[in-house]
Every structure is written in structure tokens, then in C-alpha cells.
Amino acid sequence: MLQQPFTFMLNQATASIEGHTPLVRRLSSLRGQFLDQAAYTAALAQDDPVLYQVYAVDRPDVVGELSSGLTILHPGRVGEEYYMTKGHFHAVLETGEVYYCLGGQGRMVMETPEGDWHVAEMTPGAVVYVPPRWAHRSVNVSDREDLIFFWVYPAHAGHNYGAIERQGFRKLVVARNGAPVVIDNPRWLPPAERHEH
Ligand code: PAN
Ligand code: ZN
């Protein structure tokens, strides 16, 4: 069936996509991801804050279609680690993604299944290209501003959260003396040392 072109409005003033309801991810959906588990448990005992909202313009799950949307990641920390997205590989590993930063200050943490890693800066105007095979997580390194970005990826890519839920990313972004630094994740094991079923 022939698809009809369409337009949607990304409202930068309100950081939303008009006519769409966002998916909301709270602190509780990142269980096990923050290094400081005591700080995580203490934070969750107080409240279950919204970490980010995702406005998705989803398209049919077929080759050729593109899904796109807007993510708003709020500022905050658990211990010294900044608020971040869950992060994922695409289920169809050989699919990439483009991210366009519209507001705030952040980092995109990436890695391959083989353990290559890269951390890219997200600042207004930065377009980060995530090649096929690279898992990706966004981190808000500001203490006060939302990190806002638009993204586009092949609609058949799907999301694989499992590998990241098991041990996180190889690198973490934490605040040291008020500035973001990249450190090793002590829970991360090289592929050969993992015991996955
Ligand atoms: C983005 C992300 C979005 C939320 O749309 O899905 O920023 O991050 P998590 O899915 O890791 O919670 C994307 O990369 N889509 O493929
Ligand atoms: Zn993705």
C-alpha cells in the first residue's frame, strides 16, 4: 500500500511532539544500572522521579520505514552518576541511528558487542551518528537543564535491552569536582568472561 507523506510538529518551546503522548521512564525502571546501589535504594525510598520522556512517531516494523521522535532527559544524579537512559542495542544489530541534540548538555555512551567504546558530546546542534552494531545510552551532564534530542532509526530495528540490563555499559559518566568524567564500570566483563545463556 502506498504510504502518504505526513508532517508532525516538534515544538521546541514545550519540548514535545504535538498530538503524541510521551512514554515516561522513572528511576524504578533503571534498577541495577547505577553503580551506587545504596544511593539508588535511598533515592527510590524517597520518591520515584521521572528521569525521561520519549515522544515516538512510530512507523510499521518493516524495512524501509523510519521511526523518529524526541527524548527529554531531566537533570539529576544517583550518587555521583548522572541521570541517563536505559540504553540498548538494536534487536537488528546491523541498524544505525541519528541523534540531533536540540538542548542541554550530555554525553552519548556507545559500545559494540566486542567491547569497543566511544563517548560523544551532546550539545545543541551536535548530530551524533550511531553506526550499526553500537549500543547507545544518553547521559544528562547538566545540573539544571533538560537534555533534549531528536532521533531517527530504521523502524524494523527493534530494541534489545537485555545485555545492558545484565552488566551496564563499559563506561560510566560521573561528576567529579562538578565536571563530568568517564570512568570504567567495575561490573562490566569482557565478552569472553561473561556467562550468558
Ligand atoms: C531512542 C531511545 C530513547 C530512550 O529513541 O529509545 O532515547 O532510551 P531507551 O530506549 O534506552 O530507554 C533510540 O535510541 N531508539 O532506538
Ligand atoms: Zn536506538
Side-chain angles (χ1 to χ4, degrees):
M1 196 187 73
L2 182 68
Q3 302 285 344
Q4 290 300 315
F6 66 94
T7 300
F8 59 85
M9 296 307 289
L10 189 161
N11 186 327
Q12 277 199 244
T14 57
S16 64
I17 291 180
E18 293 174 4
H20 288 255
T21 305
L23 167 88
V24 173
R25 293 255 209 226
R26 293 179 179 275
L27 185 62
S28 53
S29 58
L30 275 93
R31 187 170 298 283
Q33 288 303 303
F34 289 99
L35 184 60
D36 188 339
Q37 287 294 310
Y40 178 82
T41 306
L44 208 54
Q46 298 270 310
D47 192 8
D48 188 9
V50 172
L51 264 53
Y52 55 104
Q53 281 139 291
V54 182
Y55 290 87
V57 182
D58 285 323
R59 297 294 302 157
D61 177 9
V62 295
V63 172
E65 287 278 359
L66 299 171
S67 286
S68 61
L70 186 72
T71 300
I72 299 97
L73 173 58
H74 301 307
R77 284 186 214 163
V78 174
E80 61 177 9
E81 201 172 357
Y82 297 103
Y83 280 3
M84 59 196 183
T85 59
K86 279 172 71 82
H88 55 263
F89 286 95
H90 288 163
V92 179
L93 192 60
E94 300 293 338
T95 53
E97 185 155 355
V98 171
Y99 275 66
Y100 176 38
C101 182
L102 298 167
Q105 297 297 329
R107 298 288 184 274
M108 167 108 64
V109 180
M110 291 171 266
E111 72 184 42
T112 68
E114 293 75 33
D116 306 286
W117 64 275
H118 185 81
V119 177
E121 194 166 341
M122 296 174 85
T123 193
V127 181
V128 180
Y129 181 69
V130 182
R133 303 179 63 78
W134 288 78
H136 38 286
R137 159 181 283 166
S138 310
V139 180
N140 184 340
V141 301
S142 165
D143 287 335
R144 49 197 172 77
E145 270 185 303
D146 285 340
L147 178 68
I148 303 168
F149 48 92
F150 180 73
W151 38 266
V152 188
Y153 70 98
H156 73 290
H159 296 101
N160 171 8
Y161 291 98
I164 301 302
E165 280 168 356
R166 279 193 289 278
Q167 60 172 6
F169 279 75
R170 181 169 191 166
K171 298 289 172 177
L172 307 175
V173 186
V174 299
R176 294 272 164 88
N177 301 319
V181 296
V182 176
I183 63 165
D184 286 331
N185 171 7
R187 287 174 50 226
W188 190 89
L189 291 172
E193 290 172 32
R194 289 178 203 161
H195 302 285
E196 288 170 5
H197 312 289

